[in-house]
Amino acid sequence: MRTSHPTTGQTARPQTSAPEAAAGVEQRPGGWFMRRAGAYVALTKPRVIELLLVTTVPTMILAADGLPSFWLIVATLIGGAGAAGSANAFNMWWDRDIDQVMNRTKKRPLATGEITPRAGLVFASILGLLSLAWFALVINWAAMWLTLGAIAIYVVGYTMILKRRTPQNIVWGGIAGCMPVFIGWASVTGGLSWAALALFGIIFFWTPPHYWPLSIKFKKDYANANVPMLPVVSDDKRVAAEMVGYTIAMIACSLALTPLAGMSWVYTVVAAVLGGWFLWSTIAMLRRAQGKASGKLGAMKVFHGSITYLSLLFVAVAVDVFLPF
């Protein structure tokens, strides 16, 4: 029913309550679809995938000793993104119970119920099968088997077996995060090499000093969820000391790449400088943990530094291939 304004005589529009207005927004064409699509994208952990793909392209350039075909790069990235997304979705499906009690993860789609466990499992399975079929049909069988191994290691090895049982979970489970360099190398050459193993080693030893600082920040979350990350069951001094040890091994692998892949002095210098910088950041964190330096522990500074280190190192790998000496 229309009503007249008491002073102007103008016809007033019917008032809509806040809940009705919200419902109207939800019922806009495409609104439900976009919200649901966003939830499924979130299952794949796209930010994690980005870092994995950053290491894949330089690896392919090194394996080809130049620029591989544009189509091969795109095809490998598509398959790799699908496989990583599948593994991450399986991880969220299995861990939905602990995700609900951790502040960092409580808004994930399976934790909130926005996506049902069954739908999440079906999505992860289909995405994984499609990625494996893609590698087998479009690239080669070697890349397909390595991709299957990466998914299995992350889902079964890390998520189902190691994560809730041992503080070394991220060390051995991190093998899955190293597999993109094997997959990228095999996509180009159809096999592996000692140079690929050195690249694998860089990421393997990089993973603990990358992930443990994040675990320190969210130590209470992991403790509440009964996940025995090393920072939960050990003091900061031991965690920082192990980070220093893994960083030294990581630097050794980065320098071993020079003779194994025939890298130039430019890459060698960059690898040494970047490695020295990151090593110093872990040593500084250890000194703070021991109380020998002032200031907070600075774990997240090391976390962000680890991402910078890996990104710049793999950029150096790619650029070195095109140097004229």
Side-chain angles (χ1 to χ4, degrees), residues 63-188:
D65 195 24
L67 193 65
S69 72
F70 178 75
W71 166 244
L72 181 60
I73 293 176
V74 171
T76 302
L77 294 182
I78 290 173
S86 169
N88 290 330
F90 275 121
N91 172 267
M92 285 197 193
W93 171 77
W94 184 265
D95 281 347
R96 63 189 184 277
D97 58 333
I98 61 176
D99 282 348
Q100 291 174 342
V101 301
M102 295 177 62
N103 289 326
R104 185 172 68 92
T105 58
K106 64 184 181 182
K107 293 184 179 180
R108 287 177 174 176
L110 284 167
T112 62
E114 186 172 4
I115 294 176
T116 65
R118 180 178 180 181
L121 181 60
V122 169
F123 173 75
S125 301
I126 292 176
L127 191 58
L129 290 173
L130 287 176
S131 67
L132 293 174
W134 177 267
F135 272 111
L137 298 175
V138 176
I139 301 178
N140 59 54
W141 282 89
M144 187 278 290
W145 285 114
L146 289 166
T147 301
L148 177 60
I151 295 174
I153 291 168
Y154 187 70
V155 176
V156 180
Y158 172 67
T159 303
M160 296 183 176
I161 298 176
L162 296 172
K163 184 174 181 178
R164 307 191 194 201
R165 290 179 172 85
T166 171
Q168 295 299 311
N169 47 21
I170 197 63
V171 176
W172 301 109
I175 291 175
C178 308
M179 295 299 285
V181 298
F182 275 0
I183 295 167
W185 196 280
S187 295
V188 173

Side-chain angles (χ1 to χ4, degrees), residues 160-219:
M160 296 183 176
I161 298 176
L162 296 172
K163 184 174 181 178
R164 307 191 194 201
R165 290 179 172 85
T166 171
Q168 295 299 311
N169 47 21
I170 197 63
V171 176
W172 301 109
I175 291 175
C178 308
M179 295 299 285
V181 298
F182 275 0
I183 295 167
W185 196 280
S187 295
V188 173
T189 67
L192 297 176
S193 71
W194 288 109
L197 185 61
L199 292 169
F200 182 98
I202 293 170
I203 302 176
F204 177 79
F205 291 114
W206 167 87
T207 300
H210 163 69
Y211 197 84
W212 281 337
L214 189 67
S215 302
I216 290 174
K217 179 177 176 62
F218 295 102
K219 183 187 299 187

